[in-house]
């Protein structure tokens, strides 16, 4: 077990068991130059602290490595694909631990409009939601785990945003056959998805007869995922200058959720009697 520096323990910190799921995916130090002396576990804890608390990079507590160092690793892992590789590896493991195939055969798509801040970057106005900012477009599996996220300006219609998302996901999920969506994705998009991606896009519409709230089949799964993301204050708005950084924050949020779930499953398995 690795020795830990003496500092306060934050709720967002990784436990020893949780760190074991992440450590092997972190890229090793490159050859040449001075050796790495930064604790990678504390870098990840710094990212998770910022994500959960919603603070700015400059306001990271001094207990973590310097904020410039934490941000450099965050940016580097976003650009070299480390955060996506880590996220996808954990998603497959969560599915396996739940008795499912590592790759999904069905998914759900939806978007969420969020306000941006004064940091700048691309933004637009969503006339339907009356929000100036960006949209997070998610494709999730039937467990609510994120398969793909694309962040774009809010004035792009859902059908056009779905094309950006699904074109990016094309070819990455060999078992995927069917995707559920709400009425906002109806129309020519159905044929485009079939012709371009080879998937069936099924629209689940709300009945005009039903009044008030009604839990719709399949669609609630992605809404729950948005709820999971909402546990992180950094995602209460879009604080990032780059949409790619916004996407990385979503992947980190799901990474934190999945590594905690895997550790709990592991603990429950260890607690079972030997003859169970």
């Amino acid at each position: 077990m690795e020795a830990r520096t003496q500092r306060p323990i934050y709720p967002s910190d990784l436990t020893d068991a949780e760190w074991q799921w992440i450590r092997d995916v972190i890229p090793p130090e490159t050859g040449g130059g001075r050796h790495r002396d930064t604790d990678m576990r504390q870098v990840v804890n710094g990212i998770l602290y910022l994500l959960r608390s919603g603070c700015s990079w400059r306001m990271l507590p001094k207990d973590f490595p310097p904020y410039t160092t934490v941000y450099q690793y965050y940016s580097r892992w976003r650009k070299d694909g480390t955060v996506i590789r880590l996220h996808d590896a954990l998603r497959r493991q969560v599915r396996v631990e739940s008795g499912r195939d590592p790759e999904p055969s069905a998914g759900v798509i939806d978007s969420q409009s969020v306000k941006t801040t004064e940091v700048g970057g691309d933004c637009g106005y969503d006339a339907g939601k009356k929000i100036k900012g960006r949209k997070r477009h998610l494709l999730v599996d039937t467990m609510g785990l994120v398969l793909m996220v694309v962040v774009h300006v809010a004035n792009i219609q859902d059908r056009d945003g779905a094309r950006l998302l699904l074109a990016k996901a094309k070819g990455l999920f060999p078992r995927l056959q069917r995707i559920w969506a709400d009425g906002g994705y109806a129309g020519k998009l159905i044929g485009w998805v079939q012709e371009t991606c080879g998937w069936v896009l099924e629209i689940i519409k709300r009945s005009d007869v039903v009044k008030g709230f009604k839990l719709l089949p399949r669609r609630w799964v992605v809404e729950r995922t948005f709820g999971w993301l909402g546990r992180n204050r950094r995602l209460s708005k879009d604080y990032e200058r780059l949409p790619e950084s916004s996407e990385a924050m979503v992947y980190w949020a799901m990474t934190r959720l999945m590594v905690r779930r895997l550790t709990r499953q592991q603990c429950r398995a260890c607690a079972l009697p030997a003859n169970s």
Side-chain angles (χ1 to χ4, degrees), residues 2 14-23 40-41 44:
E2 298 179 4
L14 296 167
T15 66
D16 292 333
E18 290 169 347
W19 172 239
Q20 301 306 312
W21 291 102
I22 292 178
R23 58 180 299 178
M40 292 295 98
R41 179 172 175 178
V44 174

Side-chain angles (χ1 to χ4, degrees), residues 121-137:
D122 298 335
C123 70
Y125 183 71
D126 182 348
K129 302 291 179 62
K130 295 181 173 57
I131 290 177
K132 182 180 179 180
R134 294 174 179 159
K135 280 185 181 180
R136 298 173 184 144
H137 239 112

Side-chain angles (χ1 to χ4, degrees), residues 1 9 17 26 31 67 79 81 87 89 121-122 126-127 138 154 162 202 212 217 242 251 254 262 270 273-274:
M1 184 180 299
I9 304 300
I26 300 299
Y67 80 89
K79 293 175 181 178
H87 171 273
D122 298 335
D126 182 348
L138 296 188
E202 182 177 335
L242 300 175
Y251 287 125
M254 292 302 298
L262 283 168
C270 293

